[in-house]
């Protein structure tokens, strides 16, 4: 089973929430896909990454979006990080039911990610 943690509410998950999710996923052999497109948006001094919690890399992956932190929200780009086997399985599925972004947009994303930070 795959569970996606999406940004459905305007709140920040606590350490306890993520620890409980990881424990539950391990117990029930569930893959967690954490949608963290707004990773750089900080609320009340809190920000973070699902992948940074102990055990998270064992049960899931995290989706991030450079289109948010480079202020190009109309360009729908994202990337998946963490467990290679889950990333590869996702790629295999998506390559059959989806299509890639315009190549220029992909190349711009690579330049942004490899270039100097403006922060």
């Amino acid at each position: 089973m795959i569970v996606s943690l999406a940004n459905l509410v305007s709140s920040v998950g606590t350490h306890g929430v993520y620890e409980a999710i990881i424990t539950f996923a391990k117990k029930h052999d569930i893959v967690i896909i954490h949608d963290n497109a707004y990773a750089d948006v900080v609320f009340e001094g809190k920000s973070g990454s699902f992948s940074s919690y102990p055990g998270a890399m064992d049960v899931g992956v995290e989706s991030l979006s450079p289109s948010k932190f480079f202020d190009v929200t109309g360009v729908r780009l994202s990337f998946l990080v963490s467990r290679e086997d889950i990333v590869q399985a996702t790629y295999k599925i998506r390559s059959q039911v989806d299509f890639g972004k315009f190549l220029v947009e992909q190349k711009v994303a690579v330049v942004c990610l490899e270039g100097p930070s403006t922060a």
Side-chain angles (χ1 to χ4, degrees):
M1 175 187 284
I2 297 176
V3 175
S4 179
L5 304 176
N7 187 12
L8 302 176
V9 295
S10 58
S11 66
V12 178
T14 64
H15 293 290
V17 167
Y18 287 112
E19 290 166 355
I21 289 168
I22 293 164
T23 300
F24 184 84
K26 285 182 179 182
K27 179 178 178 182
H28 297 285
D29 196 26
I30 296 172
V31 172
I32 303 297
I33 301 172
H34 184 234
D35 178 1
N36 200 10
Y38 295 94
D40 289 343
V41 177
V42 177
F43 178 72
E44 292 182 355
K46 300 176 189 174
S47 181
S49 165
F50 170 74
S51 299
S52 69
Y53 288 89
M57 300 276 283
D58 299 330
V59 298
V61 293
E62 189 159 34
S63 175
L64 300 156
S65 176
S67 60
K68 303 295 187 280
F69 50 85
F70 284 105
D71 296 325
V72 286
T73 54
V75 179
R76 299 291 186 211
L77 291 169
S78 67
F79 54 93
L80 198 59
V81 297
S82 193
R83 273 185 48 187
E84 185 176 354
D85 61 328
I86 299 171
V87 172
Q88 290 301 319
T90 304
Y91 172 75
K92 187 174 185 178
I93 292 168
R94 295 290 303 261
S95 69
Q96 299 301 311
V97 298
D98 211 346
F99 57 91
K101 293 293 292 178
F102 180 50
L103 188 57
V104 171
E105 291 175 345
Q106 293 180 46
K107 289 183 177 187
V108 167
V110 170
V111 169
C112 288
L113 291 170
E114 290 179 343
S117 173
T118 59

